[in-house]
Amino acid sequence: MAGEHTERFLERLPGHAVFSAAGSRDEAMAAFAIPKFPGSFDDALRTLDEHVDWAGHNLGSSRFFAYIPSGGLYESALADYLAAVSNRYAGVGAAAPGATRLEHAMLRWLAGVVGYPATAEGDLTSGGSMATLSAIVAAREARKIKCADVTSSVVYLTAQTHHTFRKALHVAGLSECEIREIPLDANLRMDCAVLEERLCEDRKDGLRPWLIAASAGTTDAGAVDPLDEIADIASEHDAWMHVDAAYGGAFALCGEGRRRLAGIERSDSLILDPHKGFFLPGGIGVVLVRDGQKLFDAYHARGTYMQDVAGDTERSPCDYSAELTRPFRALRFWLPFKVHGSRAFAAALEEKLLLARYFYEECSKIPGIEMGPNPDLSIATFRFCPENADADTASNALADAIRRDGRVFLTTTTIAGRFTIRMAILTYHTHVEDVDVALEVIKDCTAALRAAQDTE
Ligand SMILES: *Cc1c(COP(=O)(O)O)cnc(C)c1O
């Protein structure tokens, strides 16, 4: 029954609207109510179909260009099913040697992809936010930052640093660190000359440069900070270099992406979201720490009731994580790669880079459109700046018109105080014809807005 439900869902998915409004909340809550007596499985599936499966963003659409698109590779869904059925205890090596070895194999493989040495260790988390928290705690422990040291420890980031980084600092009890927001250059990358100056000044002032948060693919614009230069500065001043590669890290798998991420292998820690660039369904992030012992030292803990596994030689994920009991996440990561091979992923990622460049070039030809920086990865930004009109107002009107048109789904942001529209290309089945539809929609909508302006 679940199989048939799935088949029907997948058949309808491609033709379905890229965004659907939710139905009645009262009806949904009534349908979700827990019955006292057994109900039918069929009825439960109908509830899913009516109240869950379709409302909101359609991440399965090839015309979803909003936020950071997530994939939904079917093999990953099957893996979740297989993992839950076998229900191996994936937190402790002795309890599930196979599952924990598979997790280690995936971490080793990914460490190799980003160029980390054999000393690297990591953890599979629920997503990028938790991976960031994990990296920050490892960096805190490695640099022995105690309560009394917090206010003299300095963190360097930019206005483009993902908000979950500051959130993680807060959760880790580090929001009272000195925070230096380093300005951006014209390409929305961290200005390394200023970074270097600030580090020197802070040291002169008796502060301790602790953590530099570099971005390898910002959410707003896909910008990659100058990682090699940041690595030079970090090592000169003995600061911990962390790279947020939640979105951009997957591109390390293809040649062109690898070149754009040069220097990432010199960082102390990084995060990467397989539920973004590796096209997996939501629920998996990775943290990697170059010197894996530091991650172990931050998280290793034992209770007396675990004495039976004390002599276990198998690596235990719980020693590298805040979690003990956890889902067997490695399987949802491994199965798609095992079945399709890594080359298929590399080709798909290379395609996304090319599509972003194509979009950038074609979109810049549309009258009134002003493009943001050349895309470093697969996100392009633009504004609508017709003559005699305020660009923020006009861009807002364009975003509205695109939303009403409904053929594609794009979202907006504010960069340096300016209202900006984003085109994020990362769904695995987005191809050139889908990007052409987006261009068509932008052409149609800008033309209509200009015509309306002329008749005013
Ligand atoms: C998505 C994203 C995050 C947060 O990751 P989640 O998986 O949503 O928790 C952090 N940084 C960047 C650059 C991202 O794109």
Side-chain angles (χ1 to χ4, degrees):
M1 264 182 289
E4 283 164 31
H5 175 89
T6 306
E7 290 296 322
R8 264 201 316 277
F9 175 84
L10 291 174
E11 273 164 27
R12 286 168 61 194
L13 190 60
H16 205 266
V18 68
F19 179 84
S20 312
S24 147
R25 184 168 209 284
D26 287 348
E27 279 174 31
M29 296 311 276
F32 296 154
I34 297 299
K36 199 162 208 166
F37 301 104
S40 87
F41 198 77
D42 244 350
D43 196 39
L45 292 177
R46 250 195 316 277
T47 299
L48 276 185
D49 184 61
E50 268 173 47
H51 299 290
V52 180
D53 288 350
W54 302 102
H57 299 161
N58 179 0
L59 293 174
S61 167
S62 58
R63 293 169 189 180
F64 185 88
F65 301 113
Y67 308 105
I68 303 289
S70 168
L73 283 178
Y74 185 56
E75 292 78 12
S76 241
L78 289 177
D80 279 350
Y81 167 75
L82 294 168
V85 169
S86 67
N87 198 23
R88 299 289 95 184
Y89 193 86
V92 176
T100 54
R101 283 173 188 165
L102 183 61
E103 166 161 339
H104 203 209
M106 289 316 287
L107 289 166
R108 291 249 61 82
W109 173 77
L110 192 62
V113 168
V114 298
Y116 266 6
T119 53
E121 287 284 0
D123 184 36
L124 298 182
T125 67
S126 56
S129 303
M130 296 308 289
T132 301
L133 179 61
S134 186
I136 284 174
V137 169
R140 182 191 71 196
E141 295 303 296
R143 297 303 159 95
K144 302 191 166 49
I145 296 177
K146 304 293 174 199
C147 275
D149 311 313
V150 171
T151 53
S152 59
S153 299
V154 192
V155 180
Y156 304 83
L157 41 71
T158 74
Q160 284 285 300
T161 302
H162 200 274
H163 76 277
T164 51
F165 182 83
R166 280 193 193 236
K167 184 173 170 180
L169 278 179
H170 168 72
V171 174
L174 298 164
S175 50
E176 287 172 6
C177 284
E178 282 293 332
I179 309 270
R180 302 274 180 258
E181 197 177 291
I182 305 300
L184 299 161
D185 66 15
N187 290 306
L188 303 175
R189 304 175 189 142
M190 186 184 278
D191 185 331
C192 288
V194 179
L195 174 67
E196 166 106 73
E197 271 170 38
R198 294 313 299 261
L199 276 146
C200 292
E201 275 170 29
D202 286 335
R203 283 178 63 180
K204 232 180 277 157
D205 292 344
L207 299 172
R208 183 177 180 215
W210 163 47
L211 177 59
I212 305 175
S215 299
T218 59
T219 297
D220 268 351
V224 180
D225 288 335
L227 302 177
D228 244 335
E229 277 178 66
I230 293 172
D232 287 342
I233 296 168
S235 72
E236 191 189 323
H237 296 276
D238 196 29
W240 181 284
M241 176 183 174
H242 171 72
V243 179
D244 180 348
Y247 149 67
F251 290 97
L253 202 56
C254 69
E256 185 57 30
R258 188 80 200 84
R259 278 187 287 284
R260 294 184 197 188
L261 297 172
I264 194 172
E265 72 286 350
R266 298 175 61 199
S267 60
D268 294 292
S269 61
L270 64 84
I271 66 149
L272 187 157
D273 267 353
H275 63 208
K276 290 175 179 161
F278 288 146
F279 318 119
L280 307 190
I284 184 164
V286 183
V287 56
L288 287 173
V289 177
R290 150 188 283 278
D291 176 358
Q293 186 64 38
K294 299 204 160 97
L295 188 61
F296 180 91
D297 291 344
Y299 284 109
H300 175 71
R302 280 288 183 275
T304 46
Y305 34 78
M306 293 171 81
Q307 63 193 18
D308 298 342
V309 297
D312 183 25
T313 52
E314 207 59 63
R315 177 191 186 275
S316 284
C318 68
D319 288 329
Y320 299 86
S321 164
E323 294 179 313
L324 178 56
T325 307
R326 57 203 256 136
F328 176 19
R329 299 188 180 103
L331 191 55
R332 70 197 325 270
F333 190 7
W334 175 75
L335 196 57
F337 277 93
K338 178 74 177 167
V339 173
H340 297 292
S342 67
R343 218 167 58 165
F345 287 80
L349 286 159
E350 196 107 42
E351 180 198 22
K352 305 314 163 210
L353 295 176
L354 291 168
L355 288 175
R357 187 170 296 174
Y358 168 75
F359 175 83
Y360 180 84
E361 278 162 19
E362 293 304 311
C363 194
S364 67
K365 295 176 190 163
I366 299 174
I369 292 290
E370 208 171 82
M371 299 304 292
N374 235 311
D376 282 343
L377 297 171
S378 71
I379 299 172
T381 60
F382 58 96
R383 282 159 54 82
F384 184 36
C385 313
E387 284 160 40
N388 309 322
D390 172 64
D392 277 354
T393 312
S395 301
N396 211 326
L398 174 59
D400 254 354
I402 295 171
R403 210 170 296 135
R404 277 197 309 274
D405 177 279
R407 279 177 284 170
V408 295
F409 190 58
L410 276 68
T411 46
T412 69
T413 187
T414 303
I415 300 177
R418 287 150 46 113
F419 187 95
T420 303
I421 309 177
R422 311 163 58 257
M423 171 84 175
I425 303 172
L426 201 64
T427 299
Y428 62 95
H429 49 171
T430 291
H431 303 301
V432 70
E433 56 273 20
D434 302 298
V435 174
D436 280 335
V437 173
L439 288 163
E440 198 66 43
V441 170
I442 297 166
K443 263 182 225 160
D444 292 352
C445 293
T446 49
L449 289 168
R450 288 158 69 89
Q453 192 193 15
D454 288 344
T455 58
E456 258 170 26

